Amino acid sequence: MAIREILKMGDPRLLRQAEPVQQFGTPEMDALIADMFETMRAVNGAGLAAPQIGVNLQLVIFGFKKNLRYPDAPEVPETVLINPTLTQLGDETEDGWEGCLSVPGLRGVVPRWSRLRYEGFDETGARIDRTVDGFHARVVQHECDHLWGILYPMRIKDFSRFGFTEILFPELDPNDDD
């Protein structure tokens, strides 16, 4: 396992459309997923998409029991999600604060679907089909956006609610947001 470099906003690789995963359960895929979890945990992330470490595949990981970057967030089950599809359930959206490992030190309010169904595969190729809401739904949408070349600032509607974490959330340790 290795901690990988996380690409920062401005790197053109973050704007690509990720390619579908063709093979599951390979030693290379297992190593990539292990590296992604190690990288995410090393920087207190809630999730990580393969494009964020320069791997152009439709692969995201997410989940935590407790997260220093989002101390009030409820637990999200640790998940490997490959070749995902998201389906909005209802018209309701929620505004919520988001940050991103590829946009360190900044946070913004982003509208997201309140409820959604996500489908895809785990690392072995087993089917995943879940209906979720709240922070879990937000995390899935945020990570899957990376697969389509979208960073959360592209979804911000009101830039008066976008700024540096250390200013907006002085109670948080800024070192936990880089």
Side-chain angles (χ1 to χ4, degrees):
M1 291 192 310
I3 296 174
R4 303 275 194 106
E5 176 187 0
I6 298 172
L7 304 179
K8 303 291 187 270
M9 188 170 68
D11 189 309
R13 293 174 288 177
L14 289 170
L15 302 176
R16 299 183 294 189
Q17 298 284 314
E19 298 294 325
V21 170
Q22 301 295 326
Q23 295 184 3
F24 299 88
T26 66
E28 296 81 14
M29 181 63 69
D30 292 344
L32 172 60
I33 291 167
D35 286 355
M36 288 176 68
F37 273 110
E38 185 170 356
T39 301
M40 180 184 78
R41 289 179 186 125
V43 293
N44 300 313
L48 185 68
Q52 290 181 274
I53 59 169
V55 177
N56 197 36
L57 290 174
Q58 291 182 19
L59 162 64
V60 299
I61 63 163
F62 54 87
F64 55 86
K65 289 191 185 307
K66 196 79 175 137
N67 187 282
L68 294 173
R69 297 178 80 226
Y70 300 96
D72 298 327
E75 180 177 341
V76 174
E78 199 168 88
T79 303
V80 174
L81 181 61
I82 298 172
N83 299 342
T85 59
L86 307 183
T87 304
Q88 168 184 346
L89 299 176
D91 293 329
E92 188 178 334
T93 62
E94 294 177 355
D95 287 344
W97 288 98
E98 293 186 21
C100 181
L101 300 174
S102 292
V103 189
L106 294 165
R107 297 276 176 110
V109 172
V110 179
R112 298 281 186 189
W113 299 328
S114 300
R115 287 187 74 235
L116 66 91
R117 175 182 184 190
Y118 65 88
E119 300 172 83
F121 303 91
D122 71 9
E123 62 274 23
T124 68
R127 192 127 184 79
I128 294 174
D129 186 342
R130 295 182 186 155
T131 298
V132 296
D133 58 14
F135 195 75
H136 189 154
R138 177 170 298 280
V139 170
V140 173
Q141 291 171 82
H142 177 106
E143 295 310 327
C144 288
D145 268 356
H146 283 293
L147 306 180
W148 304 306
I150 299 169
L151 296 168
Y152 84 88
M154 297 169 172
R155 294 208 181 270
I156 293 175
K157 303 279 188 222
D158 178 359
F159 278 90
S160 71
R161 300 179 75 194
F162 177 64
F164 289 97
T165 306
E166 64 189 61
I167 304 300
L168 295 167
F169 300 96
E171 70 279 7
L172 296 179
D173 183 343
N175 296 317
D176 289 334
D177 209 45
D178 286 335

